[in-house]
Amino acid sequence: MITPEVPQNKSQYYPMTKSSVRNKPYSCFSDGFLYLGGALLAFLLVWSVWSYTVPHGFEPNIGTKSAANGAQARQCVQENPSVNLGYDAPDQTFYDDQELSYSIEKPMKNWDEKRKEWLKHHPSFAPGARDRVVLVTGSQPKPCKNPIGDHLLLRFFKNKVDYCRIHGYDIFYNNVLLHPKMSSYWAKLPVVKAAMLAHPEAEWIWWVDSDAMFTDMEYKLPLRRYDYRNHNLVVHGWEKMIYKEKSWTALNAGVFLIRNCQWSMDFIEKWSGMGPMSSEYRRWGQIQRSVFKDKLFPESDDQSGLIYMLYEDRSLMDQIYLEGEYYFEGYWADIVPTYDNITERYTELEKEDGKLRRRHAEKVSEQYGVFREPHLKQAGNGKGSWRRPFITHFTGCQPCSGDHNQMYHGETCWNGMVKALNFADNQVLRKYGFVHPDLLDSSTVTETPFDYPDDGPW
């Protein structure tokens, strides 16, 4: 984790006093005082305005640059907590290195130092850098074969945009292959590396598959948990299934949180080496199937590759956090049938606690998640819980191609997606005064009365 050093600014402030004016006989002496008093008042006014253009708490470090550049930097860097999107330091950074490559095939070295240097030259981004997250997702370059596929992907993307807006995260949606050979499930790794380079201000890059959606719009990533032992990669999984059962479903690589650091750059380089850009691609598929007997297809895939690296090198557990305490991502077939019961339980909570049903601006939604948390202590987490699942993942449904897993009917997938999307959308629309009364009907909404859900036929 990069912790930028932020020098302290010792600006002083002087109170402005209002002087009383008495009527006196005219004299040059009194005129002189009036003139000096006016000049002093004007000086203090200019000082007061100038002081508010300088960020409180730090002074940008501009090294040995000219005084003119220093003055320009002070004028451009805004006061906390705002970041200055209109200023790029004139100082040289890693972006000015002609050898810099965003390609997954070109290694990045000394990334921690380069990130730290960039933050030093862009001090308005330093506050909050530890918790800054960029969500990355994407889909294929061409239109979907499934007639409703593009519509579903649009709604999945809207869901992610809603979540990021509520929690103040940036989001990047990619629909091109950044490496011609790294397609399908391998396409995510070139995008994640490029996002790390494009966002040195962010501590975390969060990949979320196109067929995964947020179904608890209030819940926020527990980042301090992953900082406690400096974990660099978070993925939903189970240690027992890796080392004892040796299953290729021991974790799910469709949703992962990766720290923007040199360790991650090195790890992505090694991970992608099992993909189709490698001359050893076919051999890696054979190795994975020899270890994970339940793997159904011969090609090397990103999920089996990640599990294999953990299986071969258990010390990686010091860097990789297997999240199993909540639905970091959860299997849709287990989750979708629980939505109705969850809705009823949350409605009862709001009927009992007026604070939870109070109308409020969308921008302060996180506070109401904190208010709700004490009521959820007995709800549990994971399978059998009546807490809203954080992320519902429609693995195997293939909304774009329509080539879903044959173990369930296609209509089960599509109806489940509609229900999940409306379940999540209700949590957003509520801030705008409406809800879907029927989770299987996306077109119909009803205006919520004051003190909803305590008042009305709900």
Side-chain angles (χ1 to χ4, degrees):
M1 178 180 68
I2 301 296
T3 304
E5 296 178 1
V6 185
Q8 297 297 311
N9 176 26
K10 299 182 179 179
S11 299
Q12 295 178 343
Y13 297 85
Y14 298 94
M16 294 179 63
T17 59
K18 182 178 180 181
S19 60
S20 61
V21 179
R22 294 180 293 175
N23 292 324
K24 286 188 174 183
Y26 176 83
S27 73
C28 291
F29 188 76
S30 61
D31 275 356
F33 269 107
L34 287 173
Y35 177 81
L36 290 174
L40 177 61
L41 182 62
F43 172 78
L44 290 175
L45 180 61
V46 172
W47 173 267
S48 176
V49 172
W50 177 84
S51 68
Y52 278 100
T53 67
V54 179
H56 307 302
F58 63 85
E59 184 75 26
N61 184 354
I62 56 173
T64 60
K65 293 294 179 180
S66 68
N69 284 342
Q72 182 184 15
R74 285 194 294 272
Q75 290 169 3
C76 290
V77 180
Q78 298 173 351
E79 183 178 2
N80 287 339
S82 299
V83 296
N84 192 344
L85 302 179
Y87 171 73
D88 191 11
D91 308 79
Q92 294 274 311
T93 69
F94 68 91
Y95 288 117
D96 298 296
D97 181 0
Q98 63 180 354
E99 299 299 322
L100 171 67
S101 174
Y102 294 79
S103 171
I104 192 74
E105 293 187 281
K106 302 290 181 65
M108 166 56 71
K109 301 300 180 184
N110 303 315
W111 178 233
D112 292 341
E113 292 77 10
K114 292 172 181 177
R115 264 196 75 210
K116 187 173 183 178
E117 185 72 10
W118 188 92
L119 285 168
K120 185 180 74 172
H121 293 308
H122 298 78
S124 73
F125 289 92
R130 182 186 185 192
D131 295 325
R132 196 166 289 127
V133 175
V134 175
L135 189 147
V136 180
T137 186
S139 60
Q140 74 301 316
K142 297 180 180 179
C144 294
K145 290 192 299 181
N146 182 5
I148 61 172
D150 288 309
H151 172 71
L152 288 172
L153 290 187
L154 176 63
R155 291 201 65 189
F156 272 89
F157 179 52
K158 175 197 176 296
N159 167 266
K160 297 178 178 72
V161 170
D162 285 338
Y163 182 85
C164 289
R165 184 182 65 253
I166 289 169
H167 295 281
Y169 296 153
D170 287 332
I171 184 169
F172 172 61
Y173 189 97
N174 177 64
N175 65 344
V176 294
L177 294 178
L178 299 190
H179 189 288
K181 293 183 178 180
M182 298 287 274
S183 59
S184 187
Y185 29 73
W186 286 105
K188 61 173 73 87
L189 296 185
V191 184
V192 168
K193 182 197 173 177
M196 292 167 71
L197 292 170
H199 290 277
E201 82 286 356
E203 181 73 9
W204 296 96
I205 302 298
W206 190 7
W207 173 266
V208 182
D209 271 358
S210 61
D211 60 353
M213 73 178 79
F214 294 94
T215 41
D216 187 347
M217 306 303 282
E218 289 178 343
Y219 191 79
K220 193 166 185 177
L221 286 168
L223 296 179
R224 295 290 79 75
R225 178 186 301 178
Y226 313 132
D227 280 344
Y228 179 64
R229 292 186 177 175
N230 293 321
H231 287 99
N232 291 323
L233 177 63
V234 182
V235 64
H236 193 210
W238 302 268
E239 187 174 352
K240 177 182 176 182
M241 291 183 68
I242 296 174
Y243 298 105
K244 291 186 178 180
E245 300 178 23
K246 292 188 282 189
S247 171
W248 85 286
T249 60
L251 56 79
N252 189 294
V255 179
F256 62 84
L257 185 69
I258 191 164
R259 196 183 295 277
N260 195 358
C261 65
Q262 184 61 51
W263 181 92
S264 300
M265 288 288 187
D266 296 338
F267 189 80
I268 288 175
E269 181 183 353
K270 185 176 180 181
W271 191 2
S272 61
M274 299 183 185
M277 74 178 197
S278 169
S279 59
E280 300 293 313
Y281 177 56
R282 185 183 298 273
R283 185 177 71 87
W284 278 117
Q286 296 170 350
I287 292 172
Q288 291 169 9
R289 289 199 81 181
S290 69
V291 176
F292 310 121
K293 304 299 184 183
D294 59 345
K295 180 173 163 60
L296 301 176
F297 49 93
E299 297 86 6
S300 171
D301 68 284
D302 64 319
Q303 183 166 297
S304 298
L306 178 55
I307 300 170
Y308 180 80
M309 284 192 287
L310 280 165
Y311 177 76
E312 285 294 301
D313 183 2
R314 197 158 188 160
S315 69
L316 285 173
M317 292 293 293
D318 294 336
Q319 304 288 334
I320 299 175
Y321 191 101
L322 295 179
E323 181 61 83
E325 297 182 40
Y326 66 96
Y327 273 128
F328 187 69
E329 66 82 40
Y331 181 45
W332 67 274
D334 292 335
I335 291 174
V336 171
T338 69
Y339 289 150
D340 292 331
N341 178 57
I342 291 172
T343 300
E344 291 175 6
R345 299 296 293 266
Y346 275 64
T347 299
E348 289 302 315
L349 290 181
E350 295 188 12
K351 287 181 176 180
E352 295 170 4
D353 189 344
K355 184 166 56 177
L356 296 178
R357 62 178 184 267
R358 181 191 178 196
R359 288 177 174 175
H360 57 272
E362 186 181 63
K363 282 292 186 183
V364 296
S365 296
E366 285 188 1
Q367 179 177 333
Y368 289 82
V370 174
F371 288 161
R372 196 184 307 276
E373 200 59 33
H375 297 278
L376 300 174
K377 289 182 178 179
Q378 304 303 318
N381 275 295
K383 197 169 184 178
S385 168
W386 55 268
R387 177 191 287 268
R388 289 171 182 159
F390 185 36
I391 293 180
T392 302
H393 195 177
F394 282 82
T395 53
C397 278
Q398 303 295 329
C400 189
S401 68
D403 299 329
H404 56 84
N405 192 313
Q406 296 303 308
M407 66 184 292
Y408 30 74
H409 194 273
E411 289 301 314
T412 306
C413 278
W414 318 144
N415 289 338
M417 290 178 186
V418 168
K419 191 168 187 176
L421 286 163
N422 290 334
F423 176 79
D425 205 30
N426 270 354
Q427 299 169 47
V428 177
L429 284 176
R430 176 80 175 275
K431 313 302 186 298
Y432 295 81
F434 292 85
V435 290
H436 297 283
D438 181 356
L439 294 184
L440 288 174
D441 181 0
S442 300
S443 302
T444 304
V445 294
T446 303
E447 186 175 2
T448 56
F450 182 76
D451 214 27
Y452 170 87
D454 193 51
D455 183 26
W458 313 105

